[in-house]
Amino acid sequence: MNLSTDSLEDTSTGKIHSCVNCYFQCQDGSAFKAQVKFAPYFYVGVRDNAEAEVEAYLRRKYEGRILETEVVAKEDLDMKNHLAGLKHKYLKVSFYNVQDLMEARKEVLPLARRNAQREETVLAYDGLGQEQRAGTAHRLEDFLDNIVEVREYDVPYHVRFCIDTEVRCGLWFKARARGGNIELERCKDLLAFAEVKVV
């Protein structure tokens, strides 16, 4: 198996979806290609209890570009007690295609960096008094002020596909077409590698 990135148009909606071209070699030596749709995404870190507001804002701002959003709990190695199994909530924002992701990332990433730097500055002035810091922290006039980080925005699309679907070149898979989508299932009982064939 080998792979490359591509895009395909959904004939019912007219939307362009990112996909991965998977090139398979059968046991009899023949070959075929399957286009597997996979939504590119990144994670957005937000201030505590602001996930719903940020999600609603991003869905409005990038309407027609965001495929879906969900709140997920992920390990955060930046947390002080991350070895204790503590997890941080992130907003997983999935897009129809890589171009939509890149356009959103271009706007969201600088905002997250600016907000994180502002938050560090506020935390540095702990001696100002609780009431003053609380007033600064809760004076959020814009939902974008709640975005403090963006994670996994720099993972290449084909690498993200391989990580999430556990697809590896050189292994055997069953490819099934269901409802216009291709499903891949690894054949764990086949251990011998196929002969290398340069296409």
Side-chain angles (χ1 to χ4, degrees):
M1 181 195 167
N2 203 350
L3 46 86
S4 66
T5 58
D6 201 355
S7 60
L8 60 93
E9 184 177 353
D10 188 334
T11 53
S12 60
T13 63
K15 295 255 184 220
I16 303 295
H17 291 264
S18 286
C19 65
V20 177
N21 291 327
C22 298
Y23 299 92
F24 293 99
Q25 179 179 334
C26 300
Q27 287 178 301
D28 62 3
S30 61
F32 70 96
K33 177 181 95 169
Q35 286 189 316
V36 183
K37 279 200 287 189
F38 181 76
Y41 65 88
F42 56 67
Y43 294 103
V44 176
V46 299
R47 291 192 171 101
D48 291 338
N49 302 319
E51 293 89 1
E53 291 86 358
V54 172
E55 178 181 4
Y57 179 84
L58 290 175
R59 280 192 165 277
R60 280 193 312 270
K61 172 132 177 105
Y62 301 107
E63 186 176 358
R65 291 189 241 169
I66 290 180
L67 177 65
E68 65 179 348
T69 55
E70 64 177 311
V71 177
V72 295
K74 301 273 296 174
E75 285 186 20
D76 184 359
L77 300 181
D78 293 336
M79 291 176 72
K80 290 180 182 176
N81 289 333
H82 69 272
L83 294 176
L86 297 176
K87 296 198 174 188
H88 189 266
K89 285 184 182 177
Y90 287 94
L91 194 60
K92 180 181 175 182
V93 185
S94 302
F95 297 85
Y96 285 100
N97 54 60
V98 176
Q99 184 176 352
D100 290 342
L101 178 142
M102 299 297 273
E103 289 173 5
R105 183 185 84 172
K106 192 167 45 174
E107 296 176 8
V108 174
L109 188 58
L111 288 168
R113 288 180 175 157
R114 183 198 70 199
N115 292 338
Q117 188 174 16
R118 185 185 304 158
E119 194 170 85
E120 286 177 15
T121 305
V122 169
L123 291 175
Y125 290 101
D126 274 347
L128 290 177
Q130 291 289 342
E131 66 287 339
Q132 193 172 354
R133 283 189 292 116
T136 305
H138 293 95
R139 192 171 33 91
L140 301 174
E141 299 165 358
D142 192 349
F143 293 119
L144 290 179
D145 289 342
N146 287 318
I147 298 173
V148 292
E149 65 178 326
V150 181
R151 295 272 175 118
E152 300 189 18
Y153 60 87
D154 55 351
V155 179
Y157 176 67
H158 65 285
V159 174
R160 168 59 57 212
F161 168 79
C162 290
I163 291 170
D164 287 9
T165 60
E166 296 184 3
V167 167
R168 305 291 184 266
C169 292
L171 300 177
W172 294 100
F173 291 88
K174 286 181 184 172
R176 292 188 184 94
R178 289 187 181 162
N181 292 321
I182 306 295
E183 296 176 1
L184 301 178
E185 180 187 348
R186 185 174 166 204
C187 302
K188 295 184 179 177
D189 55 329
L190 297 174
L191 301 176
F193 292 109
E195 290 184 24
V196 177
K197 183 177 179 182
V198 180
V199 183

